[in-house]
Amino acid sequence: MNIAIMGAMVEEIEPLLAFFGKYETVEFAKNRYFLTSYKGLDLIIAYSKIGKVNASLTASTMIEKFGAQKLLFSGVAGAISSDLGIGDLIVATKLAQHDLDISAFGHPFGYVPEGSVYVESDENLRDIAYQVASEKGIALKSGIIATGDQFVCNSERKEWIGKTFDADALEMEGASVAVVCDSLNVPFFILRAISDGADHDAGMSFDEFLQSSAKISAEFVISMLDKMQP
Ligand code: OS5
């Protein structure tokens, strides 16, 4: 089985490349794809670069060029819910684009005709995550993740996103990956470890916790692979 694992920033996939050790590198469309295998699974690993457009291109490439049959996203996020602290893991049940706005035509935020505000992630992959969490005694949270092309470092904007989308965490790639995978019928899973609180300290907190939180998320995804044997 071909499984894609993607992050947005190199820091989000570095722990994966370090763990797998040996891989082949293929360049395509101004990006690099790292191919390896693990316990009978063929893995395609990449970081997309930041934002929805880059993430859409990478997810599409992993599926259409490299034949990914499932896609797992690993990375960091800003917390909205006060239940989430630095390093906590959240799995997205569904995702929405918080910066998609044609409300001038009477549509809800995050909606465009022939689309939907939310895209739901794959239930089987979420079940695997809950099994891993229970076996390892990890408090895995789940909730709605909101995505937009903004690093949110403003409490007002964060509260608005939380209220408008009932979102627990926010980031800059997940919902675009969700739209691509849903459209191409590829089961997907989005996992994020909290790096900051999306408020006025977010930049400093992000710099301090990017690496440690990215590692927490990547290690969890590696444990999921053990339960996805062919
Ligand atoms: O991928 C972006 C989204 N990620 C999740 C996230 C987030 N998203 C929105 N708001 C928040 N509060 C969030 N917290 C976590 C993380 C990432 C955020 S954008 C970070 C940009 C950091 C940076 N910019 N330049 N460099 C680092 C240095 C650099 C220079 C050249 C090449 C590579 C890096």
Side-chain angles (χ1 to χ4, degrees), residues 22-42:
K22 274 191 176 172
Y23 44 83
E24 180 193 344
T25 305
V26 179
E27 289 198 20
F28 181 78
K30 296 194 177 176
N31 209 348
R32 282 174 300 160
Y33 292 82
F34 306 100
L35 312 182
T36 189
S37 59
Y38 178 67
K39 296 189 180 174
L41 301 170
D42 289 315

Side-chain angles (χ1 to χ4, degrees), residues 149-168:
D149 281 327
Q150 303 165 347
F151 182 81
V152 177
C153 49
N154 170 317
S155 297
E156 248 176 51
R157 177 73 188 161
K158 157 180 152 166
E159 300 306 335
W160 181 85
I161 293 168
K163 251 195 276 159
T164 307
F165 296 95
D166 198 21
D168 299 292

Side-chain angles (χ1 to χ4, degrees), residues 8-9 50 76-78 150-152 170-173 195-196 198 206:
M9 300 180 70
I50 294 164
V76 301
Q150 303 165 347
F151 182 81
V152 177
L170 55 84
E171 34 86 314
M172 300 177 66
E173 296 85 17
S195 56
D196 59 83
F206 176 80

